[in-house]
Amino acid sequence: MTDVDERTEQARSLQTKAKLLAATLSTIHDVGWASASSARIADAAGVSRGAQTHHYPTKTDLLIAAMEEANRRQDERVRKGLTNLVDAEDPVEAYLRLIWDTLRDPSYSASWIEAVVAARTDHDLRTTVARIDAHIFELIGDATATLAHRAGDADPERTADLVRLAVYAMRGMVLERPIRGTEAERERLLETLIETITRERSATSSVGPEQR
């Protein structure tokens, strides 16, 4: 095989993987992980079952790869968004809204919810989900500490904890979106959440960490 042939083959392989991951995310969003058969995903991607199993031998392999791809996209989106937050009136509040917009992305939220549910009984998947989640919260903590310092918060670590708590609350709202509530209600709850965190940050700044 010549160098040109090898590069062409590598490009085709990357293209096939991209098609499979995109099809996995869209299929999970449409029918859920339980109904997202490998054959259904391969058909949606427009590739053969042989090509699918060559790159991702099992359905779990597909889910892990798709989840990692969705997380990579969202990580990139958040990193780009962070560059626009440093000059915000309250960069921490702006960051919370950016996180909320990220979590509401259908392909991301669907793949994450399905992965967490499936991980309950799949050790390998659970290990991957835990690793990705730890990475997410590490990034959130680092970003919040930097933004909190810019915002003049007296205790950036405390603010980082508050933002982590907000992320858990936001995930809960996203999780329940298919079964209860309206977008208007969720937006109202989001505003309440942000207002509560802002008050707590202000109270912490007034008291000072050494007095608590």
Side-chain angles (χ1 to χ4, degrees):
M1 180 181 291
T2 67
D3 289 344
V4 173
D5 290 337
E6 185 174 349
R7 286 196 296 271
T8 300
E9 185 63 29
Q10 289 175 347
R12 287 174 179 168
S13 177
L14 290 174
Q15 186 179 46
T16 299
K17 284 184 175 181
K19 287 180 178 179
L20 283 166
L21 294 181
T24 301
L25 291 173
S26 63
T27 303
I28 290 173
H29 177 261
D30 292 341
V31 301
W33 181 241
S35 299
S37 66
S38 296
R40 189 169 195 163
I41 292 171
D43 185 60
V47 304
S48 67
R49 281 282 287 119
Q52 182 253 302
T53 55
H54 171 72
H55 293 292
Y56 304 104
T58 70
K59 185 178 168 181
T60 298
D61 291 332
L62 260 177
L63 176 57
I64 290 174
M67 185 180 60
E68 290 180 330
E69 173 62 14
N71 186 66
R72 184 195 65 77
R73 293 179 189 174
Q74 296 306 93
D75 187 34
E76 185 177 288
R77 176 181 174 184
V78 170
R79 287 180 186 277
K80 288 181 178 179
L82 280 171
T83 62
N84 300 320
L85 300 185
V86 292
D87 295 324
E89 182 176 350
D90 184 344
V92 175
E93 177 183 335
Y95 186 42
L96 286 168
R97 296 186 187 281
L98 175 61
I99 293 173
W100 175 243
D101 288 341
T102 300
L103 290 174
R104 288 193 304 171
D105 181 286
S107 63
Y108 177 76
S109 60
S111 64
W112 181 255
I113 290 170
E114 296 290 336
V116 169
V117 172
R120 187 180 69 84
T121 55
D122 187 318
H123 177 269
D124 292 338
L125 182 58
R126 185 163 62 251
T127 300
T128 300
V129 170
R131 173 177 56 79
I132 292 176
D133 200 45
H135 174 68
I136 290 171
F137 275 95
E138 181 180 359
L139 292 178
I140 288 173
D142 291 344
T144 302
T146 299
L147 295 173
H149 179 73
R150 284 183 173 274
D153 287 21
D155 190 349
E157 290 188 7
R158 169 74 169 170
T159 299
D161 281 343
L162 291 170
V163 171
R164 292 188 188 98
L165 180 62
V167 172
Y168 285 123
M170 290 178 189
R171 282 181 171 181
M173 287 195 285
V174 170
L175 177 63
E176 289 207 334
R177 183 165 54 179
I179 58 175
R180 72 179 301 274
T182 63
E183 287 304 313
E185 179 184 5
R186 279 181 281 277
E187 289 299 327
R188 178 175 57 78
L189 291 173
L190 175 68
E191 294 305 320
T192 300
L193 178 63
I194 291 176
E195 289 170 6
T196 301
I197 288 175
T198 300
R199 283 197 300 271
E200 178 64 22
R201 289 167 55 212
S202 297
T204 300
S205 296
S206 299
V207 173
E210 72 284 350
Q211 300 178 44
R212 288 190 289 108

